[in-house]
Amino acid sequence: MKKLKFSFPALFTLLLALAASALFSSCSSGGKSAAESESATTSETVATGKKITLGIIPLTDCAPLVVAYEKGLFKKYGLDVQISKEASWANVRDKLLTGELDGAHCLFGMPFSVYTGVSGKAGSEMKIAMLLNNNGQAITLSKDFCGKVGFRNIDGVAAAVTQMQAQKELTFAMTYPGGTHDIWLRYWLAAAKVDQNKVKIITIPPPQMVANMKVGNMDGFCVGEPWNQVAVKQGIGFTHISTQDLWKNHPEKALVVNKQFSESRRDDLKKVMKAVMEASMWLDDMKNRKEAAEIIGRQSYVNAPAKEIEARLLGNYDLGCDYGKHTYQDDYMLYHNKGQVNYPRKAHGIWYLNQYVRFGYLKETPDYKAVADKLIMQDLYTEVAKEMGVAIPDDDMKPFTINLDKVTFDPNNPSGPVAQK
């Protein structure tokens, strides 16, 4: 076979011709249909688009983000998303503020806690794009409380605490100052007539709760699932009260995003929200919850037995401490509930700010409405919901009642005396 020989000028001319041909091909649809061209564009976005990093904490309610990823819903909207498993809520906060995370599965109260300086540099902004779930957290008490305190009955809590304090200082754990678990714990203590200043309250990351109770570092904790169920199965504690008993359909986790991401990549954020919304709808089909438990139970996510996750996802609570079982009928963990879950209500943000004042986190009353307006992206959510045909609730800024103590809170008068009971 004869070898082809090229002079340098000829070779250079040939390379230029090949490059021009490639460029022409890339700029032409080649007779493709509009659908084919759109599909090609989507595939290219997934392959070469700027990555979006979303953080999660190992909890059952990280499911909307995980399911959106595992079911290919982010890719459906042309997004290149990676899920980052984080060690603690403080870690999530720091990475959101620095931009290492674009968004995260996050405590609803965290943006308010950070902005007001309760748990971060005052004035630091993180934005709430949408809610991820209602219900599904719990207060677990150690087995030392067995027989002294019943399920959903707070009448005997103060007496039990006083009795046990004669032997030792009592310690209760939550997951983040000013976060949902912190406020649920403090609200429960107040309703039970226990002075929060007479017990020790510490911060422990959710996956470490059970191990810490096992070695006696705390006498009770408030955390999300599956860690309450795991404590029951390991025989170290019992479910005293779930947060849906405290406040039915309360706000819990939110999709919280970095401020810069919300401003510079608004269209991408809307696509993230649509994917998460679809995942939330899928999760609220009870036929899917077994599969959901298997997905989020994997080591890369929650790293807990799927059967423990599944039970409480279905509303089936093994309480522990010989208290038997309880089945929640319509107030188990909800992810969508025909749009009732995902709508971010400013009234709820105002309630959280009010609790910070009530429990001594804030010495001065904040501008409730201004803070809620700044941190909650309600207009963006409304755009997304309308484009998806999802109903938008009309109950924001209306008074609501907390089940545990029957106190009605009016977000239009947050400093009213009834809110301080």
Side-chain angles (χ1 to χ4, degrees), residues 285-417:
D285 184 339
M286 300 304 284
K287 297 191 298 294
N288 295 329
R289 293 214 165 179
K290 178 180 177 62
E291 182 183 352
E294 292 169 351
I295 291 172
I296 63 177
R298 296 171 189 167
Q299 185 176 5
S300 54
Y301 301 124
V302 177
N303 192 24
K307 63 179 181 179
E308 311 299 359
I309 298 173
E310 180 187 356
R312 294 203 172 187
L313 267 179
L314 294 173
N316 301 323
Y317 282 48
D318 180 359
L319 303 173
C321 198
D322 297 324
Y323 289 146
K325 298 182 178 182
H326 180 79
T327 300
Y328 288 92
Q329 301 292 336
D330 64 347
D331 52 357
Y332 37 70
M333 191 177 293
L334 295 170
Y335 294 98
H336 182 63
N337 194 19
K338 300 179 181 179
Q340 290 293 319
V341 172
N342 307 121
Y343 182 59
R345 294 165 175 82
K346 294 180 181 181
H348 294 163
I350 291 171
W351 183 85
Y352 267 89
L353 293 168
N354 178 262
Q355 300 308 301
Y356 296 165
V357 175
R358 178 189 183 194
F359 295 129
Y361 273 135
L362 295 179
K363 302 304 180 186
E364 297 182 2
T365 301
D367 187 336
Y368 291 107
K369 188 175 185 304
V371 175
D373 286 344
K374 182 181 289 290
L375 301 183
I376 295 179
M377 304 180 72
Q378 199 173 82
D379 290 345
L380 184 68
Y381 175 85
T382 299
E383 281 185 37
V384 170
K386 286 181 177 178
E387 290 173 13
M388 296 189 71
V390 172
I392 300 170
D394 61 358
D395 59 354
D396 196 13
M397 299 305 293
K398 294 181 180 179
F400 54 87
T401 301
I402 307 300
N403 301 68
L404 188 64
D405 55 7
K406 308 304 180 187
V407 168
T408 297
F409 179 78
D410 183 357
N412 298 293
N413 183 27
S415 296

Side-chain angles (χ1 to χ4, degrees), residues 91-101 258 260:
N91 218 40
V92 169
R93 173 201 61 200
D94 294 344
K95 289 186 175 183
L96 278 170
L97 290 174
T98 61
E100 190 172 345
L101 291 176
N258 167 273
Q260 183 179 0

Side-chain angles (χ1 to χ4, degrees), residues 89-118:
W89 289 120
N91 218 40
V92 169
R93 173 201 61 200
D94 294 344
K95 289 186 175 183
L96 278 170
L97 290 174
T98 61
E100 190 172 345
L101 291 176
D102 297 301
H105 151 249
C106 195
L107 299 160
F108 177 79
M110 184 188 288
F112 301 99
S113 179
V114 171
Y115 184 78
T116 56
V118 170

Side-chain angles (χ1 to χ4, degrees), residues 185-257:
L185 179 66
R186 293 178 190 275
Y187 203 101
W188 167 74
L189 288 169
K193 310 301 182 188
V194 175
D195 186 345
Q196 65 172 1
N197 297 309
K198 299 293 179 63
V199 297
K200 187 176 181 181
I201 298 177
I202 61 176
T203 304
I204 300 289
Q208 298 176 25
M209 286 291 189
V210 175
N212 273 274
M213 181 175 276
K214 185 178 292 187
V215 298
N217 287 342
M218 83 270 281
D219 303 282
F221 58 71
C222 184
V223 74
E225 298 300 342
W227 307 116
N228 301 287
Q229 177 70 9
V230 171
V232 168
K233 286 300 181 183
Q234 293 191 10
I236 63 171
F238 68 97
T239 298
H240 162 57
I241 191 168
S242 72
T243 52
Q244 52 263 47
D245 296 319
L246 190 155
W247 175 8
K248 183 178 178 179
N249 295 336
H250 62 77
E252 184 50 45
K253 301 302 188 302
L255 174 62
V256 173
V257 294

